[in-house]
Amino acid sequence: MANKHRIIVALSIAILIISIATGCSNNIKRVNNQPVSKTEFVLGTVATIKIYDNASEEVFNKAFGKLREIDKKMSINIDNSEVIAINSNAGKDFVKVSDDTFYVIKRGKYFSQLSEGKFDISIGPLVKLWNIGTEYAKVPTEEEIENKKSLIDYNNVILNESEKSVMLKKEGMMLDLGGIAKGYGADEVVNILKENNIKHAIINLGGNIFAYGNKQDGTPWNIGVQDPNLSRGNHIGIVQASDQTVVTSGVYERYFEEDGKRYHHILDPYIGYPVENNLAGISIIARSSIDADSLSTAAFVLGLDKGIELIEKLDNADAIFITNDSKVYITSGLKGKFNLTNTNFELIE
Ligand code: ADP
Ligand code: MG
């Protein structure tokens, strides 16, 4: 018995030493330097994290756990989310929320102000009315649109900083964080990767990309810029990015057709209808994904000229604008960093 005991102790010590020597006990095995990758459906989209270092199962669990937590707090499609609680108390009461939700609403309100309400986190009543992306999508009546439009105003989203609580001033108002929550999710995944000593990774939350660190050889990542006319994964060109996010908003993904007309999911809060301008898509390149997500939606609604004006004004963001007639415009910070590869498009400089 004593001998057996000693063997067990010796074995345990050996395993412990091996674990310490290899850095971590449960690293996922990598083949030929390929990344380790996990995909889940979360935040209403397909989310993939690809890590190009030795990584443990635990890092992925933490990252996807955080994304699920954000979804549970901020979705308007999940009962009992904090955003649903705020919406059901509209016109009645403040609702205390988590730091995550408070931060996203605060940042969302900031970008609503910055874009003079072209991006507006209180767009909820119009989004619900149109139901784009669901089987109930239909063109509403003029009267319905007018009624809902009168409820949209980010100035009526009241934040109590010390209590971390939020109130919507008018009954019927609704927050919709669909244009910003994925960006926050990507930033939070980056924080988790940092804390876990990961150096090289690509996070892709349904086209909301974060190029974390560099490629393993130290050069920037090459990120494909979505072709707005084709399904996800078709590119018009390549942008170089390191520790930067590339976030795309466009007409290509969520839409429905009625009487031969296409209606997509980015709404102009001023008119109550899907945006119709000369833009097919926009990609924002920035350090912060929550900023890029809001800005991609904002710039899309603003249109080419005002959109470029807004992005040029900001220090930490650049953009690629793609028009319906296949012209591509880039902001000044991207000169030399964007390479148009699709000959159906023309780069205007
Ligand atoms: P995606 O969600 O496809 O990545 P966006 O980031 O552009 O695209 O966000 C679009 C979503 O944002 C819509 O599905 C809707 O929930 C919401 N939204 C639509 N129009 C606006 C707007 N003008 N301001 C703020 N949010 C919007
Ligand atoms: Mg967005």
Side-chain angles (χ1 to χ4, degrees), residues 119 177-183 208 247-249 266 289-298:
F119 172 82
L177 303 180
I180 183 171
K182 285 200 298 261
N208 216 300
V247 176
T248 300
S249 275
I266 300 174
S289 206
I290 189 171
D291 292 8
D293 198 3
S294 332
L295 285 171
S296 71
T297 312

Side-chain angles (χ1 to χ4, degrees), residues 112-130:
S112 303
Q113 262 152 359
L114 190 72
S115 66
E116 292 171 349
K118 294 285 193 180
F119 172 82
D120 192 321
I121 51 166
S122 70
I123 192 92
L126 275 174
V127 172
K128 270 263 147 30
L129 180 66
W130 280 87

Side-chain angles (χ1 to χ4, degrees), residues 202-266:
I202 298 285
I203 302 150
N204 187 345
L205 309 182
N208 216 300
I209 296 169
F210 205 110
Y212 171 68
N214 280 310
K215 285 199 283 187
Q216 281 165 296
D217 64 8
T219 61
W221 297 103
N222 294 316
I223 304 296
V225 177
Q226 175 67 37
D227 181 337
N229 306 310
L230 298 176
S231 60
R232 188 176 294 164
N234 289 290
H235 301 145
I236 65 150
I238 302 286
V239 66
Q240 288 179 5
S242 42
D243 272 321
Q244 281 166 309
T245 187
V246 181
V247 176
T248 300
S249 275
V251 299
Y252 67 101
E253 211 146 51
R254 276 183 225 184
Y255 62 82
F256 74 101
E257 274 166 16
E258 198 175 295
D259 298 330
K261 196 169 152 59
R262 188 181 276 203
Y263 298 90
H264 64 80
H265 74 315
I266 300 174

